[in-house]
Amino acid sequence: MRISGITRAALAAGAVLVLATGCSARDTTTEPSASASVDESTLVASLPAATSEVDEVTWALVEGEPRSVVPGADYNFVAPNLCDSLLQIQPDFSIEAGIADSAEWTDPVTFVIDLREGVTFWDGTPVTADDVVYSLERHWKDVTDAYYGAFVLVTSMEATSDTQVTVHFTAPDSDFRNAIASGGGAVLSKAYSEEAGDTLGTSAGGLMCAGPYELESWTPGKEIVTVANEDYWGGAPLVKKLTYTFIPDGTTLTNALLEGEVDGAFNVPPASRSAFEGSDTGRLVVGPSTASLSFGPTTDQGAAASPQIRQALSMAIDREQYIQTVLNGLGYVQSTFVAPFSWSGAEAADVYQAGYDALAVPSVDMDAAKKLVEESGIDTSVPLTLAIPAGSKELSQTAAIVQSAAQQIGLTIEIDERQASDFAAIFLDESAREGLDFVATTGYTETPGVLAYPQLFLLPAELGGIFNWSGYSNDAVTAGLQAARTTPDATAAAQAYVDAQEIFAPDMLQITLAGAYHTTFLSNELTGATTSVAAYSSPWALHLGGE
């Protein structure tokens, strides 16, 4: 899971698949007006594969310049095109073979990875089992690593041949296979990585991987240039040079896209929707996602720690109006903090969907909200503080909406806008949360599966609940989530999760305000890009090229 505003250091306690990003300014000159809701049947997970070569494509990163292009070390769309993983997440969030031709459980606690024949790094050296062990151990042995949580049940791993790795576990782990389809399974050259040391993945140190693009140059503050890997095992990309430029300002990005100065970007400003849809040079593509906007408690004291207060705030917020105001129609009402696309490719998808459909859909009920506030017994004269990151238009709007809703049910919310480093400190340092009651975030899960969010917010800290700041404790929920992870049978695991969800969803450890679709704008001359949330962890530009 990735949460806007958190740095990698937030994982020091060993969270499950959490990585964070700096927030970007998205102010634009185009103010959102009432826009049509998106028909989910029209969502596009990927564009038709390209048929012709393109010399060069320039892609803008609205998130700004990355600190590193090592998968998991920083949030960016560069790394997935550079470093292939053992398995590969598809645009529809299913999983297929990657560098590993096979990666399966041979018994409940033994996982065997067999490498594809003939895969080489960019320098022509073969990808071996030793490289895989080295790459996986980077996560397994470092509690500050972004993917450490995916390896907590691992007891040992070894190369059992030149092309095979065997991993042993203390218990079955339904999440592990998903994790190695993301950056958790990215394979780096052991020799190159050890020589690069602390500079690995930076503009000074580079890296060596086996993905469809290789890193050619990195000019800090300006651009990252990658070139096609002509010997890529999946076939050479059609775009021969893919250059990334850094444009975190929403107005600048919108203008650059509309004027053709850059060819494409992900996560484009919702406020510019009408301008994008009216463009003659490119088109806006809306795809499925696991992303959502929410706010949750930062303390186990006072009003924020009360489920009744959280329920009351939820009842006071009009989700449809929120989606129009903040996302310009590019979102949907989400019933709990795990989005339906998370299980779309799962074996037991029907079980997850039935459980989700049984949840209450958030709706406005001001009288019930006021009654909950009264019944809670909290002192309504004490103001509550909501933290947001400076420069995020969507979260600034979110805070204003929450503040207004709170006032209507007798609560007072003050907004604490913090610069990037101070906002990140909320997730790193308990002292930084002093005086705060809530924090607003944008988050998503980058791999299929349902457990990333719940484990972080619902489990005790010693079991991975590093964001369980309200002290939530429910034995049935803990047991259900643990069973969902360690039960080999997919249907039984799904039912264990659904049973736990029925209990924890009403407690609103995160008050989910909306699910947000994945947005892509690209030139009319291009096609083939992955346009779903899978772009975060798979080689989204592999099939990019000319119409």
Side-chain angles (χ1 to χ4, degrees):
M1 184 195 76
R2 301 174 187 256
I3 297 180
S4 177
I6 312 169
T7 66
R8 178 174 176 267
L11 303 170
V16 177
L17 290 175
V18 180
L19 178 66
T21 76
C23 294
S24 59
R26 294 194 178 183
D27 294 320
T28 72
T29 55
T30 305
E31 287 302 319
S33 56
S35 297
S37 298
V38 175
D39 180 350
E40 291 196 3
S41 68
T42 67
L43 297 178
V44 178
S46 64
L47 295 173
T51 57
S52 60
E53 292 187 357
V54 175
D55 290 336
E56 182 173 3
V57 166
T58 300
W59 201 267
L61 300 179
V62 67
E63 298 75 22
E65 183 172 9
R67 295 180 294 271
S68 171
V69 290
V70 172
D74 192 14
Y75 159 85
N76 61 81
F77 287 106
V78 183
N81 288 324
L82 298 176
C83 298
D84 260 8
S85 295
L86 292 165
L87 299 173
Q88 196 173 92
I89 297 175
Q90 302 303 300
D92 65 356
F93 237 35
S94 62
I95 294 176
E96 294 185 4
I99 288 180
D101 188 52
S102 172
E104 301 292 346
W105 297 94
T106 56
D107 65 49
V109 292
T110 307
F111 192 83
V112 176
I113 301 165
D114 290 310
L115 298 181
R116 183 185 298 273
E117 292 184 6
V119 179
T120 63
F121 292 112
W122 303 326
D123 62 0
T125 59
V127 174
T128 69
D130 285 340
D131 295 304
V132 173
V133 171
Y134 166 80
S135 300
L136 296 181
E137 284 186 340
R138 286 169 53 85
H139 311 305
W140 178 39
K141 294 186 175 181
D142 181 2
V143 298
T144 69
D145 186 87
Y147 300 102
Y148 173 77
F151 291 78
V152 294
L153 298 181
V154 173
T155 58
S156 66
M157 63 177 71
E158 67 275 344
T160 41
S161 78
D162 288 344
T163 58
Q164 185 182 80
V165 172
T166 301
V167 186
H168 301 280
F169 292 75
T170 59
D173 189 347
S174 64
D175 252 8
F176 184 73
R177 194 172 187 273
N178 293 335
I180 64 170
S182 71
V187 180
L188 283 66
S189 164
K190 177 181 178 181
Y192 185 99
S193 300
E194 290 182 337
E195 183 175 351
D198 291 342
T199 66
L200 181 68
T202 68
S203 58
L207 80 169
M208 183 62 62
C209 287
Y213 284 88
E214 57 184 290
L215 182 64
E216 181 177 78
S217 65
W218 183 344
T219 305
K222 182 182 178 184
E223 64 184 17
I224 294 173
V225 179
T226 65
V227 294
N229 174 7
E230 298 295 339
D231 297 319
Y232 182 59
W233 62 267
L238 291 175
V239 174
K240 298 309 172 184
K241 179 184 287 188
L242 180 56
T243 299
Y244 301 90
T245 186
F246 322 125
I247 310 180
D249 178 73
T251 300
T252 304
L253 175 63
T254 297
N255 291 336
L257 288 167
L258 295 177
E259 294 171 9
E261 295 174 1
V262 296
D263 299 301
F266 295 123
N267 295 333
V268 294
S272 297
R273 177 182 177 181
S274 60
F276 290 139
E277 290 178 338
S279 172
D280 293 327
T281 59
R283 74 274 201 196
L284 177 69
V285 183
V286 182
S289 181
T290 61
S292 62
L293 290 88
S294 64
F295 68 101
T298 58
T299 176
D300 60 0
Q301 304 293 319
S306 167
Q308 290 173 303
I309 294 300
R310 298 195 297 267
Q311 292 164 1
L313 285 169
S314 176
M315 290 180 178
I317 297 171
D318 185 331
R319 300 308 202 277
E320 296 291 353
Q321 184 180 31
Y322 177 88
I323 290 167
Q324 287 296 327
T325 302
V326 178
L327 296 175
N328 207 5
L330 298 173
Y332 61 98
V333 177
Q334 188 172 311
S335 297
T336 186
F337 53 78
V338 179
F341 192 59
S342 302
W343 61 76
S344 58
E347 181 180 342
D350 57 337
V351 178
Y352 291 115
Q353 190 63 48
Y356 180 84
D357 291 342
L359 298 175
V361 178
S363 60
V364 178
D365 190 334
M366 301 302 290
D367 291 337
K370 291 174 183 177
K371 184 177 180 181
L372 282 171
V373 172
E374 182 180 351
E375 291 176 348
S376 72
I378 67 112
D379 183 355
T380 57
S381 67
V382 178
L384 304 174
T385 303
L386 171 65
I388 61 170
S392 171
K393 181 171 184 176
E394 287 90 345
L395 291 180
S396 178
Q397 291 174 320
T398 295
I401 289 170
V402 173
Q403 185 180 55
S404 175
Q407 185 177 21
Q408 294 179 62
I409 58 174
L411 299 173
T412 300
I413 286 186
E414 298 175 347
I415 300 171
D416 184 347
E417 187 172 11
R418 299 191 177 189
Q419 295 301 316
S421 60
D422 293 330
F423 187 79
I426 295 170
F427 303 88
L428 311 173
D429 183 358
E430 184 177 358
S431 65
R433 296 192 290 276
E434 291 181 4
L436 294 180
D437 297 284
F438 294 106
V439 61
T441 60
T442 303
Y444 66 91
T445 50
E446 65 178 35
T447 56
V450 299
L451 293 174
Y453 267 132
Q455 291 179 134
L456 295 172
F457 294 100
L458 302 171
L459 292 181
E462 64 270 17
L463 295 180
I466 63 166
F467 299 149
N468 185 3
W469 299 320
S470 69
Y472 182 82
S473 178
N474 186 300
D475 291 343
V477 170
T478 298
L481 295 181
Q482 296 290 77
R485 181 166 183 175
T486 60
T487 299
D489 180 76
T491 299
Q495 190 60 56
Y497 172 79
V498 166
D499 290 344
Q501 177 182 250
E502 184 179 3
I503 301 169
F504 70 69
D507 292 331
M508 296 192 177
L509 273 298
Q510 286 292 288
I511 302 170
T512 303
L513 299 173
Y517 295 121
H518 189 72
T519 55
T520 308
F521 185 87
L522 76 167
S523 166
N524 285 331
E525 297 178 357
L526 296 174
T527 187
T530 295
T531 53
S532 75
V533 71
Y536 284 111
S537 51
S538 61
W540 57 266
L542 174 58
H543 302 295
L544 185 67
E547 289 272 16

